[in-house]
Amino acid sequence: MTSPPATVTAAYIDATGPADVIRVGALPTPVPGDGEVLVRTQAIGVNHVDTFVRSGAYPTPLTFPFVIGRDAVGTVAAVGTGVAGFLAGDAVWCNSLGHGGRQGPSATYTIVAAERLYPLPAGVDPVAAAAVLHTGATAHLGLFREARLRAGETVVVGGAAGGVGSAVVQIAAEAGARVIAVARSEQVPWCRSSGAQEVLDRRAPDLIGRLHKAAPDGIDVYWDTSGHHDLEQVVPLLAPRGRVILMAGLDAHPTLPVGTLYTRDASLRGFALSNATTDELADTAAALNSLLAGGTLRAGQVQALPLSQAPHAHALLENGRATGRLVLLP
Ligand SMILES: NC(=O)c1ccc[n+]([C@@H]2O[C@H](COP(=O)([O-])OP(=O)(O)OC[C@H]3O[C@@H](n4cnc5c(N)ncnc54)[C@H](OP(=O)(O)O)[C@@H]3O)[C@@H](O)[C@H]2O)c1
């Protein structure tokens, strides 16, 4: 194994702001300290949260220059002291950098605390994995920690062909739920191939009436990933003890029909993956690894761009022009 170069090529910011504050250039190669691993990156995921951190919309402690991003797949380049379980050359991944004072991974090499690093199963393509690490972890945490999903329950997924939506459909179906997807009509084949038993066209009239018909005994888990929440219409559709998952829509202020909610013993469950503990992330990683190895967790289309196009990737996400899951290639 050759030793790492003195500098890395990184996508970083010196202050929060719009996508064009991202610079791509040389920074000193970080040296792994106690409990840390230096990873040579192969594929770096780009997600909405990366744009929120970069713009300052999602405040979190940052030190500048701040390397952007959160998720990466790569190989171990060097290990610091006190690290067990990782050797140079191992295929690995991480999906919790770039938050809470941690630098992001959008560089040719990145430092990861060993407790946030996981092995990549043999045979899993790094780009395909990077495309679903953030969305898969979100779906897994939301379905099992928050919704406490059980086999046989009815799950409705809004934005079902999006990143998180696809992962929720795939993981809920794998867990034995009956999944009703809400998406555009041209996304029906993808939603069905992900495991949805029924797909409702989000643009056809009377979605609420059609949801009621599709789930006459009530919805156990309602998860709209689009950030649009009409709780006045949705809460009456819930089954007793139904759960609404809230994790998108930073500025949404929906009206809540309180009596309809509590007389069903129903609940709202909000969460952010950023707050997950390292133990929760490790449990989620083990589950994601088996879903990745089994081919259950997968992206539809992946748009891979060179690391040098990181500003363009953020702009694509922000103007809704990405044609699939975005991945940067160092
Ligand atoms: N809390 C957390 O821990 C967490 C973690 C991950 C993501 N998130 C948030 O979750 C959201 C989704 O992330 P993502 O990666 O899945 O995004 P994405 O891939 O862009 O998917 C968004 C989905 O929403 C749908 N959508 C957009 N506008 C809509 C509207 N007006 N009505 C109905 N559907 C609409 C889109 O459908 P079309 O294809 O039809 O446009 C698409 O399927 C983002 O806000 C993200 O920040 C939160």
Side-chain angles (χ1 to χ4, degrees):
M1 173 114 339
T2 50
S3 31
T7 60
V8 300
T9 303
Y12 64 93
I13 58 174
D14 289 315
T16 56
D20 61 13
V21 300
I22 301 171
R23 293 160 194 270
V24 180
L27 291 178
T29 302
V31 176
D34 192 38
E36 292 181 335
V37 176
L38 182 69
V39 174
R40 181 177 191 167
T41 58
Q42 289 173 298
I44 299 152
V46 184
N47 287 283
H48 291 287
V49 68
D50 305 340
T51 69
F52 301 157
V53 171
R54 184 221 69 226
S55 71
Y58 187 1
T60 184
L62 304 175
T63 49
F64 298 107
F66 171 73
V67 179
I68 59 173
R70 190 167 283 218
D71 307 0
V73 179
T75 54
V76 171
V79 292
T81 52
V83 172
F86 293 106
L87 293 174
D90 285 355
V92 289
W93 61 271
C94 171
N95 65 345
S96 58
L97 302 185
H99 187 265
R102 297 180 291 283
Q103 288 283 337
S106 302
T108 44
Y109 289 81
T110 186
I111 291 283
V112 187
E115 62 182 357
R116 294 177 180 275
L117 193 65
Y118 320 108
L120 184 74
V124 174
D125 175 62
V127 175
V132 296
L133 294 175
H134 182 71
T135 54
T138 305
H140 189 270
L141 209 60
L143 285 171
F144 299 114
R145 191 191 71 185
E146 298 302 327
R148 298 184 179 276
L149 179 69
R150 291 180 297 270
E153 289 195 315
T154 297
V155 178
V156 168
V157 186
V164 177
S166 298
V168 175
V169 172
Q170 291 163 2
I171 296 174
E174 173 85 2
R178 173 177 173 247
V179 180
I180 302 169
V182 180
R184 284 184 276 123
S185 52
E186 57 271 35
Q187 296 165 331
V188 171
W190 168 248
C191 293
R192 283 206 178 276
S193 77
S194 290
Q197 290 190 4
E198 209 161 330
V199 188
L200 304 184
D201 181 352
R202 77 164 167 89
R203 292 179 298 193
D206 192 23
L207 176 61
I208 294 299
R210 287 180 289 130
L211 278 172
H212 184 55
K213 223 167 143 187
D217 297 330
I219 297 165
D220 297 298
V221 178
Y222 183 92
W223 186 335
D224 191 337
T225 68
S226 74
H228 300 270
H229 303 292
D230 190 347
L231 297 178
E232 274 187 301
Q233 301 250 50
V234 163
V235 170
L237 299 177
L238 294 177
R241 303 197 177 186
R243 291 84 78 200
V244 178
I245 299 295
L246 298 173
M247 42 62 78
L250 273 180
D251 301 319
H253 289 90
T255 306
L256 178 66
V258 173
T260 316
L261 183 88
Y262 78 70
T263 54
R264 280 174 166 67
D265 295 350
S267 55
L268 306 178
R269 303 286 312 179
F271 80 101
L273 180 61
S274 304
N275 303 329
T277 64
T278 50
D279 283 348
E280 287 168 337
L281 289 170
D283 287 348
T284 301
L288 293 197
N289 269 349
S290 93
L291 292 164
L292 284 169
T296 300
L297 181 61
R298 63 208 160 84
Q301 234 179 319
V302 176
Q303 188 175 1
L305 298 170
L307 178 62
S308 58
Q309 288 194 33
H312 180 54
H314 275 222
L316 285 174
L317 257 194
E318 289 177 316
N319 62 27
R321 296 230 170 111
T323 56
R325 305 282 311 142
L326 283 163
V327 173
L328 295 173
L329 304 178

